[in-house]
Amino acid sequence: LAAYRFFRNTNVHPEQILRPHREATERRMREHPVVLVVQDTTEFDFTAHPPQDAQCLEAEYRFGLYDHTHLAVTPEKLCLGVVGSEQFDRAPETLGKGRSRKSLPIEEKESFRWLAGYRLACELQQRCGSTQIISVADCEADIYEIFVEVRRQTTSADFIIRARENR
């Protein structure tokens, strides 16, 4: 019950909780010549014990949330810390509407999280000086908007994206 009160508290913001850890992670990143910022999404399935006001995962009968995390690691596999995290879920009425969302702007799509992750890597590149930042993502991030973003950024991070399409 105390956890529900904590999470419902309007004075509690995930960004504020993560800020000290992120700042310490950025200091550690500056100590390395190359840092990978790996982003991926995982699901927390609470179907067996759904919390109050739980939304859906990919089906109406599955309850939980998705967590999209940005983890900083060195090429030698040294974990430096989390530099970003976003949680989301789905309302039942939005399930199965993928085709109708294709015409929406990227900011209104779930796939926007991949572009936001690349933008985060670019911000880190600006703040981390001589450290080379490489954004790493799987095939869900193989979206046109990231390639456009690379050209738009004045200080861009490098990236590795597992291809979805045969280009």
Side-chain angles (χ1 to χ4, degrees):
L1 195 55
Y4 284 119
R5 284 196 312 271
F6 175 75
F7 289 120
R8 284 191 184 138
N9 186 331
T10 57
N11 296 318
V12 175
H13 302 283
E15 302 82 25
Q16 292 173 334
I17 294 171
L18 185 60
R19 185 180 305 126
H21 173 74
R22 179 179 168 167
E23 290 169 355
T25 300
E26 286 185 35
R27 284 192 299 276
R28 288 188 292 274
M29 290 171 67
R30 290 184 195 99
E31 298 172 4
H32 298 273
V34 178
V35 173
L36 310 174
V37 177
V38 181
Q39 59 173 314
D40 204 359
T41 306
T42 190
E43 63 180 39
F44 291 89
D45 187 342
F46 302 127
T47 302
H49 304 284
Q52 297 173 1
D53 304 325
Q55 291 281 357
C56 299
L57 294 169
E58 88 297 346
E60 281 189 50
Y61 59 86
R62 292 190 65 221
F63 299 100
L65 61 94
Y66 294 98
D67 178 68
H68 190 78
T69 298
H70 311 271
L71 182 68
V73 297
T74 67
E76 296 78 26
K77 301 178 187 172
L78 175 64
C79 181
L80 301 174
V82 174
V83 291
S85 181
E86 171 192 359
Q87 295 74 41
F88 63 98
D89 54 19
R90 296 176 176 144
E93 60 272 9
T94 64
L95 299 176
K97 307 274 187 202
R99 292 205 184 279
S100 64
R101 289 191 296 262
K102 284 192 182 257
S103 62
L104 293 175
I106 186 70
E107 294 81 9
E108 295 179 31
K109 298 178 182 179
E110 282 184 12
S111 57
F112 179 69
R113 68 186 184 272
W114 301 102
L115 177 58
Y118 178 70
R119 287 177 177 168
L120 172 61
C122 291
E123 291 171 20
L124 292 166
Q125 183 64 72
Q126 289 175 342
R127 290 198 299 272
C128 289
S130 62
T131 300
Q132 178 187 16
I133 304 296
I134 303 172
S135 176
V136 180
D138 68 11
C139 62
E140 287 183 82
D142 187 6
I143 57 175
Y144 177 75
E145 288 82 1
I146 289 179
F147 297 96
V148 171
E149 188 70 17
V150 170
R151 294 193 176 272
R152 192 183 73 75
Q153 289 286 340
T154 54
T155 305
S156 60
D158 293 318
F159 64 91
I160 298 171
I161 299 173
R162 189 176 75 192
R164 176 179 291 183
E165 304 295 329
N166 183 0
R167 298 183 196 280

